[in-house]
Amino acid sequence: MGAGHAHPLHLDHRSPVHALAPEVKIVATLLFTIVVVATPRTEFAAFAGYALLLAAVTALARVPLPWLARRATIELPFVLLAVTLPFAGHGERITWLGMSLSVDGLYGAWNIFVKGTLGVVASLLLAASTTMRDLLIGLDRLRCPRSFTQIATFMLRYLDILADDARRMRIARLSRGYDPRFLWQVKAFAVGVGALFLRAYERGERVYLAMVSRGYDGRLPRPETGGATTADWAAAAALPAAATAIAIAAVLR
């Protein structure tokens, strides 16, 4: 898999966060997210502490805030869902600006919004500081099932090729004066998807046979160097450890 297959969320520059091994960043992000999700929704101070931790990581990773804010809009559908909860919730209600709102619905909306936002920002920071190739290497070092990492590796390797195939098929269709835009014209789109699937399947067979002829036995070579050091693990552990300390302090106060 060539190094040129970088995902659009990766920011290619140097920082202490970029320099960490990918497996420690994956574990740190996962543990941080678990702590956030496990925090009771009424612990407002704890969520403020989590936000400060992510702000510190953002500064260390040199991720621009506008870049982060634009890509965090991926959670907008969940925010829109959360907005409806205060109106549809049951139980005790309060009146605000003439609107009757459910207290339990307000807590539910806050819970979805704050935990979703913190999780999305943590994931974006992971993606911004780690290339897709390194993410797959990190998952492999963490003993993720080989079948998963191999499928993801091939998907990454050939996704651009499939996208180019789809683009050329669309250009060919448009050059012949046919641009289906309505539901009753879906047949042309379906035919194109079917043809793209057949091309991908045939290419997959050819690639597999070529790999078998070169000694492929179902396992891709595992990188033997560049693994995480003790310093990497210690640095990455700072985020989930600090989040855990904040959660414990908030619950016990």
Side-chain angles (χ1 to χ4, degrees), residues 85-179:
L85 294 181
F87 300 96
H90 301 286
E92 180 185 356
R93 306 187 74 85
I94 60 173
T95 301
W96 182 71
L97 296 180
M99 297 180 292
S100 177
L101 305 175
S102 166
V103 173
D104 190 59
L106 286 170
Y107 276 122
W110 161 254
N111 191 54
I112 292 175
F113 172 74
V114 70
K115 293 182 179 180
T117 300
L118 291 172
V120 167
V121 171
S123 300
L124 286 173
L125 290 174
L126 172 64
S129 61
T130 317
T131 64
M132 185 64 72
R133 177 181 180 275
D134 286 342
L135 283 174
L136 294 174
I137 291 175
L139 291 173
D140 195 54
R141 289 173 179 165
L142 292 171
R143 301 298 189 271
C144 187
R146 285 276 181 143
S147 57
F148 172 81
T149 55
Q150 289 183 28
I151 290 172
T153 299
F154 287 123
M155 180 192 73
L156 176 64
R157 175 64 181 83
Y158 291 101
L159 192 60
D160 291 340
I161 296 176
L162 292 178
D164 286 340
D165 281 347
R167 180 180 57 82
R168 285 194 295 268
M169 291 170 65
R170 179 177 179 274
I171 292 175
R173 188 175 63 244
L174 293 176
S175 67
R176 288 164 175 79
Y178 192 67
D179 184 16

Side-chain angles (χ1 to χ4, degrees), residues 32 36 43-61 65 68 110 114 117-118 121-122 125 238-240 242-243 246:
F32 174 81
V36 170
E43 301 297 339
F44 303 107
F47 293 115
Y50 301 152
L52 289 177
L53 290 178
L54 290 181
V57 176
T58 302
L60 283 174
L65 288 179
L68 199 60
W110 161 254
V114 70
T117 300
L118 291 172
V121 171
L125 290 174
L239 177 63
I246 291 173

Side-chain angles (χ1 to χ4, degrees), residues 153-214:
T153 299
F154 287 123
M155 180 192 73
L156 176 64
R157 175 64 181 83
Y158 291 101
L159 192 60
D160 291 340
I161 296 176
L162 292 178
D164 286 340
D165 281 347
R167 180 180 57 82
R168 285 194 295 268
M169 291 170 65
R170 179 177 179 274
I171 292 175
R173 188 175 63 244
L174 293 176
S175 67
R176 288 164 175 79
Y178 192 67
D179 184 16
R181 295 175 178 268
F182 304 101
L183 185 61
W184 56 85
Q185 296 176 309
V186 73
K187 179 180 178 181
F189 177 77
V191 170
V193 171
L196 187 62
F197 171 78
L198 291 176
R199 287 187 183 184
Y201 185 83
E202 292 173 351
R203 179 181 289 114
E205 278 194 331
R206 293 195 300 270
V207 171
Y208 175 75
L209 292 175
M211 292 175 66
V212 169
S213 68
R214 289 164 174 80

